[in-house]
Amino acid sequence: MLQHVDIFFFLFQTFSPASSPVVFFCIFNIIEKQEVKRFMWAYVKPSKGRFILTYPGNVSERFEYTGDKVHNCSLKIHEVSHYDAGKYFFRYNANKGCPAKRLVLKVIDLNISVPKETIKEGDSVNLTCKNRCDGEEGSYGYSWFKDGEAINEGPVLHLTNVSSKHSGNYTCSLKMTNGTTSGVAHVDVEYGPKNTSVLVRSSSETGADGSIVLICCSDAHPPVENYSWFKIADSWIQKVGHQPELLPVDGGQYSCSVSNKHGSQNSTVFTLKKKNRKYFAKAVAFYELVFGKCIKKLIRFCFLALLYNFFKHPRQTIMFFFLQLIGHL
């Protein structure tokens, strides 16, 4: 014979984020006063059912009975997983029938599906927010966020003609729940080289000898993989380097070419004027420094030789200078 039992669930349908705890608030009332000797919580799916907690009987680390033997039949589930989604009911003593009142648990485990591993500039991409714990895909309202800012609603976020401004961290959430968000989906838009140009710099800025350095600059993602330098003279193009920087040996027209896996680009032609008077003045100063020392050494040698000859042959040396003096008068 079935016990006359009134069972009240505070929530008949509840939602819980995966890995978080959930509590089923339950109250039972015995019309025919009898001692409670046995109770159980059961889990039911269309294809199967199982008892998850019985008293006296099994003790579970994840399923905790937080009620008593009088009126409170509450149950706490620790670390909810998507396998816990389904219907639950409470029964006690000799009640062999399943009460009509069942508590429905739906577990929220949101994740974002990104169809492409590599997204490049100009592509169109759809990001899909899914609750893998619920088969009713798209049955709830979804909100989308980029770097924490709300941007759109709906289960699918459409990104068309993407550019670098679409790069960022995307998350989604269910509108009907607070504080439940998906994991982060990072969108990284790649593109070929652009804004390629040649910059000029004096190596004196780095403490070198003041020579000119040409630098090939480009905006690319992933970064530039290959560099090529060219010199143009009388419609003849000569390859002169393959590094980001070039130390030109003389003036002329120069350009650089860069590439990554998404494309390549050439810079505009840069004209480097021939070395000016500043470099000529440096060359003259160097010449004077080197040869000036040699002249000074020669004069010193001649003076010492003359002095040695004077002490060795004083009469002949005096006569030599006297004759030289008369010859210049």
Side-chain angles (χ1 to χ4, degrees), residues 100-161:
K101 295 179 180 179
R102 298 184 183 182
L103 188 145
V104 179
L105 174 64
K106 293 189 175 183
V107 182
I108 301 171
D109 189 6
L110 298 176
N111 64 85
I112 298 176
S113 173
V114 183
K116 296 182 178 181
E117 292 185 3
T118 301
I119 302 173
K120 62 181 182 179
E121 198 170 47
D123 285 350
S124 293
V125 180
N126 292 333
L127 307 184
T128 305
C129 187
K130 294 182 178 180
N131 179 14
R132 74 187 187 99
C133 296
D134 183 9
E136 303 175 38
E137 182 178 326
S139 60
Y140 309 109
Y142 293 87
S143 297
W144 285 93
F145 303 86
K146 178 179 180 290
D147 298 328
E149 297 287 334
I151 56 173
N152 213 331
E153 295 183 355
V156 180
L157 178 64
H158 303 281
L159 302 178
T160 58
N161 193 24

Side-chain angles (χ1 to χ4, degrees), residues 193-194 196 216-218 224 226-228 256-260 263-266:
K194 52 186 177 181
T196 305
C216 188
C217 299
S218 183
V224 170
N226 301 299
Y227 291 86
S228 296
C256 66
S257 177
V258 295
S259 66
N260 67 3
S264 61
Q265 189 181 51
N266 297 329

Side-chain angles (χ1 to χ4, degrees), residues 80-314:
V80 172
S81 73
H82 65 278
Y83 297 107
D84 297 323
K87 298 178 180 180
Y88 293 78
F89 69 86
F90 174 76
R91 189 174 72 183
Y92 73 97
N93 281 354
N95 185 6
K96 298 181 180 180
C98 295
K101 295 179 180 179
R102 298 184 183 182
L103 188 145
V104 179
L105 174 64
K106 293 189 175 183
V107 182
I108 301 171
D109 189 6
L110 298 176
N111 64 85
I112 298 176
S113 173
V114 183
K116 296 182 178 181
E117 292 185 3
T118 301
I119 302 173
K120 62 181 182 179
E121 198 170 47
D123 285 350
S124 293
V125 180
N126 292 333
L127 307 184
T128 305
C129 187
K130 294 182 178 180
N131 179 14
R132 74 187 187 99
C133 296
D134 183 9
E136 303 175 38
E137 182 178 326
S139 60
Y140 309 109
Y142 293 87
S143 297
W144 285 93
F145 303 86
K146 178 179 180 290
D147 298 328
E149 297 287 334
I151 56 173
N152 213 331
E153 295 183 355
V156 180
L157 178 64
H158 303 281
L159 302 178
T160 58
N161 193 24
V162 298
S163 63
S164 56
K165 69 179 183 180
H166 290 98
S167 295
N169 296 320
Y170 290 80
T171 57
C172 64
S173 67
L174 288 180
K175 295 174 64 176
M176 65 184 303
T177 61
N178 294 323
T180 303
T181 60
S182 68
V184 175
H186 182 67
V187 173
D188 191 19
V189 179
E190 299 184 353
Y191 49 89
K194 52 186 177 181
N195 302 323
T196 305
S197 61
V198 176
L199 299 181
V200 61
R201 184 186 69 187
S202 172
S203 62
S204 61
E205 299 175 11
T206 60
D209 59 359
S211 57
I212 294 298
V213 177
L214 300 182
I215 305 171
C216 188
C217 299
S218 183
D219 178 20
H221 183 61
V224 170
E225 299 171 353
N226 301 299
Y227 291 86
S228 296
W229 282 96
F230 301 93
K231 183 180 180 184
I232 305 169
D234 300 326
S235 301
W236 180 62
I237 301 176
Q238 178 186 7
K239 189 172 182 179
V240 292
H242 56 275
Q243 297 295 329
E245 297 182 356
L246 176 70
L247 186 65
V249 295
D250 56 7
Q253 292 184 318
Y254 293 87
S255 70
C256 66
S257 177
V258 295
S259 66
N260 67 3
K261 67 179 183 179
H262 295 301
S264 61
Q265 189 181 51
N266 297 329
S267 72
T268 56
V269 176
F270 177 83
T271 301
L272 178 65
K273 294 181 180 180
K274 293 183 179 181
K275 296 181 178 180
N276 55 26
R277 294 179 180 179
K278 179 177 70 173
Y279 300 102
F280 177 75
K282 288 185 177 181
V284 171
F286 176 78
Y287 177 87
E288 291 178 348
L289 177 65
V290 174
F291 287 93
K293 289 183 178 180
C294 292
I295 293 173
K296 289 180 181 179
K297 287 184 179 180
L298 179 62
I299 293 174
R300 182 181 178 186
F301 174 77
C302 293
F303 175 76
L304 292 175
L306 181 63
L307 188 63
Y308 173 80
N309 193 58
F310 174 78
F311 285 105
K312 192 78 173 177
H313 308 284

